[in-house]
Amino acid sequence: MKIAVFGGTGRIGSRIVAEAAQRGHEVTALSRRAATATATATAGGRWQQADATDPASVATVAADHDAVVSALGPSREPGGDPSAFVSVVRGLADAVGSSSRLLVVGGAGSLLAETGVRLVDLPEFPAEYRAESLAQADALEVLRSAPAGLDWSYLSPAPEIGPGRRIGSYVVGTDQPVGGFISFDDFAVAVIDELEQRNHQRVRFTVAQPAA
């Protein structure tokens, strides 16, 4: 399978690139800066310059790949605008269209608590993550309202995602958390599993580390 990963040199994207390459897929890490090309090659993929905000660039990538993964996220830069992420996902969806599959790495804030309230709307939700979580939730709604020709998936991690041991397995849910943590590496396993198995088409799903 030919897989393109926007944000393929980041913390999550680089692991997705490595997991895909390890399984024998032809994987391309996409970013605007060439400085990270060497690290990408070390992970087993190739690097290509591309801009996720440029529809022509995205359309060219999608036409040459079986699947497009967005491992991008809302801006955390001082003075940055997290809500711009919604336009990025909308642009990706429009540019990919029916020419490829689109998997978006999303956030956990849009997952639902047992009461049916989104995690991001709970009083105890960390204020410093609220703006980016709202942007990721809005991006999910963009995909849910996309034309039927778009083959998309949106993968929310567990409420906590970070460095950790690669277990190689995980538990799956839909709109409610199924655990508190997932490692970057096991999240990448779930991404490539989904591209290979196509179990969650035009829906959001979530993954977490199995209970001990």
Side-chain angles (χ1 to χ4, degrees), residues 11-162:
R11 291 186 304 172
I12 295 176
S14 62
R15 280 148 167 112
I16 294 171
V17 168
E19 181 68 28
Q22 180 183 331
R23 300 195 198 185
H25 297 294
E26 184 179 336
V27 57
T28 304
L30 305 167
S31 66
R32 289 180 292 181
R33 299 179 181 87
T36 52
T38 300
T40 301
T42 302
R46 71 184 184 95
W47 177 84
Q48 179 179 320
Q49 190 169 27
D51 185 353
T53 65
D54 177 9
S57 180
V58 175
T60 298
V61 168
D64 192 42
H65 291 82
D66 303 302
V68 175
V69 176
S70 169
L72 304 167
S75 174
R76 289 182 174 179
E77 298 294 324
D81 180 12
S83 66
F85 177 69
V86 182
S87 296
V88 172
V89 172
R90 182 178 291 110
L92 284 170
D94 291 342
V96 170
S98 60
S99 62
S100 185
R101 183 149 191 230
L102 176 64
L103 188 150
V104 174
V105 171
S110 59
L111 292 170
L112 304 179
E114 291 184 0
T115 58
V117 176
R118 298 183 306 181
L119 300 186
V120 68
D121 296 321
L122 296 174
E124 62 269 26
F125 192 85
E128 63 268 29
Y129 298 127
R130 181 171 171 77
E132 66 181 80
S133 294
L134 288 172
Q136 289 167 324
D138 288 344
L140 173 57
E141 296 310 313
V142 166
L143 295 176
R144 283 173 168 166
S145 62
L150 180 67
D151 183 4
W152 64 269
S153 299
Y154 182 103
L155 179 52
S156 289
E160 182 183 355
I161 180 171

Side-chain angles (χ1 to χ4, degrees), residues 180-198:
F181 177 79
I182 186 78
S183 70
F184 290 135
D185 293 289
D186 284 329
F187 188 83
V189 171
V191 169
I192 304 305
D193 281 352
E194 176 58 31
L195 296 183
E196 292 177 344
Q197 299 168 17
R198 303 173 69 89

